[in-house]
Amino acid sequence: MDYMNLNAFISKKTTPVDYLTSWEAPSNIALIKYWGKQDSQIPKNPSLSFTLSSSVSKTEVSFKPKKSGKFDFDFYFEKKLKPEFKPKLQIFFKRIESYIPWIKEHDLIIKSHNSFPHSSGIASSASAMASLSLCLMDLERHFFPSMNKSFFYQKASFLARLGSGSAARSVLGPVALWGENRTLETCSNLYAINLGEDLNPVFKSYQDTILLVDRGIKVISSSKGHDLMHEHPFASNRFLQASNNLDSLLPIMKSGDIDAFIKIVELEALSLHAMMMTSTPYFILIKPNTLEIIQRIWDFRMSQKIPICFTLDAGANVHLLYPLEYKRHVLSFIDTDLKSFCENEQYLIDQVGQGARKL
Ligand code: DP6
């Protein structure tokens, strides 16, 4: 680990203040998957994602100078006090307190909402941790007004990563890249960067329609899944494969070669689930309807010559990815051929977005 870089993220102590702020941060869908990590949330391979637009978390934080005792906070989700979410947040605050030492001088009330249904199986930790981290950085910028914009977002992503790895990629859009790699020297394992300039216009309005196949509780959490990569017989080859796939994908993101894009994105999705199926213990998160939908996507792509493809996150839902120009055609295909394989025929229409914003 680069301790020189880490020191840059340690802020000074200051006098506590009354402060209220709220930020909205999007969910993201990985094209190159993060699956396997070291201590302090350092990924075993670089990952790349589309930042989404409509699937967001909104978080409001009220800071008050601490009256007495040790650091504490209340957490509300969808207007209800949720003490059961506190342990995860306590771990987060423990991990970040040395970087924002001023936090211990405050009491916090945190209120969070999601735009998407809580039980939809869409990971909310990325958008939730990113929006909370941006609220924290908002106060830090209030303390240190000379802070520049790029440091603000870099440190927000750095803090978010310590809450949930993929949250590092939920700060900036339209495409976020997290983790060191051979192709881009500006990348870091500590935070994600934005791939704005090197992006073909076709990807700036790319569509992600999320087919909600199963909203059930996961048999194995992402954290546990990452852990199982430590003893996984294929781990080192998988990390190499992901890095190579990223090297191949970066020029494609620039050229806009959709056929080449599809080959890498689908390979990554299936490789992620192959790791799950070959862990000890092994587990399966996809459902029969996931496979049915994938087969239908392939048939539709062949017969209609429309470049749709899929990706999967750590669950059974299918993210259907395609260029904006095919939206009408694809939505009618979903209506006639796919939605009956979704739980309650539900799906969410989303697209690539610009990243987090202050409310
Ligand atoms: C399959 O970011 O949820 O979505 O760092 O333990 O919080 P933690 O894991 P998390 O893992 C995401 C896994 C994934 C792939 C990805 O988003 O890259």
Side-chain angles (χ1 to χ4, degrees), residues 58-236:
K58 294 180 189 197
T59 300
E60 177 194 277
V61 182
S62 146
F63 300 86
K64 295 247 182 294
K66 161 148 266 347
K67 291 218 179 67
S68 61
K70 57 180 180 40
F71 170 76
D72 201 12
F73 61 90
D74 283 332
F75 179 74
Y76 292 81
F77 182 69
E78 311 290 5
K79 299 205 162 100
K80 290 195 194 80
L81 192 61
K82 292 277 180 185
E84 65 268 35
F85 288 172
K86 262 184 108 166
K88 193 165 180 198
L89 285 163
Q90 265 151 349
I91 295 173
F92 173 58
F93 284 115
K94 201 84 219 128
R95 283 185 188 156
I96 64 173
E97 66 182 17
S98 59
Y99 300 105
I100 52 168
W102 46 262
I103 191 84
K104 284 187 262 179
E105 315 294 324
H106 294 85
D107 286 318
L108 272 54
I109 298 172
I110 306 166
K111 295 179 179 166
S112 204
H113 297 268
N114 287 343
S115 67
F116 43 89
H118 179 50
S119 54
S120 59
I122 298 186
S124 60
S125 61
S127 50
M129 287 298 181
S131 54
L132 173 57
S133 300
L134 283 152
C135 291
L136 299 173
M137 283 311 292
D138 206 33
L139 176 54
E140 185 159 300
R141 184 171 55 185
H142 174 81
F143 288 137
F144 307 104
S146 62
M147 177 186 297
N148 70 37
K149 201 170 159 187
S150 86
F151 181 81
F152 174 87
Y153 285 108
Q154 216 170 67
K155 186 164 171 184
S157 170
F158 172 90
L159 296 177
R161 182 197 101 243
L162 292 167
S164 176
S166 56
R169 301 188 314 243
S170 268
V171 172
L172 294 169
V175 172
L177 175 50
W178 168 41
E180 285 161 17
N181 64 84
R182 288 181 290 262
T183 317
L184 270 179
E185 272 187 3
T186 47
C187 288
S188 170
N189 283 338
L190 301 177
Y191 52 83
I193 64 161
N194 166 17
L195 203 74
E197 277 145 42
D198 289 320
L199 195 62
N200 190 279
V202 72
F203 294 120
K204 293 184 183 163
S205 57
Y206 226 68
Q207 300 295 300
D208 178 9
T209 307
I210 309 162
L211 305 168
L212 303 176
V213 173
D214 188 88
R215 306 184 294 166
I217 307 270
K218 282 181 202 160
V219 282
I220 287 215
S221 69
S222 287
S223 316
K224 181 77 184 146
H226 284 289
D227 257 7
L228 294 176
M229 288 304 281
H230 289 302
E231 301 295 318
H232 200 294
F234 308 145
S236 58

Side-chain angles (χ1 to χ4, degrees), residues 8-67:
F9 290 113
I10 300 176
S11 100
K12 296 192 190 72
K13 278 196 166 174
T14 57
T15 319
V17 292
D18 260 305
Y19 195 72
L20 180 71
T21 178
S22 47
W23 278 76
E24 174 187 291
S27 188
N28 71 76
I29 180 67
L31 306 175
I32 303 292
K33 308 292 184 182
Y34 149 59
W35 198 246
K37 61 180 167 183
Q38 288 153 230
D39 287 347
S40 343
Q41 298 285 98
I42 297 301
K44 287 285 200 176
N45 62 257
S47 58
L48 180 134
S49 51
F50 277 144
T51 308
L52 296 182
S53 174
S54 312
S55 309
V56 297
S57 295
K58 294 180 189 197
T59 300
E60 177 194 277
V61 182
S62 146
F63 300 86
K64 295 247 182 294
K66 161 148 266 347
K67 291 218 179 67

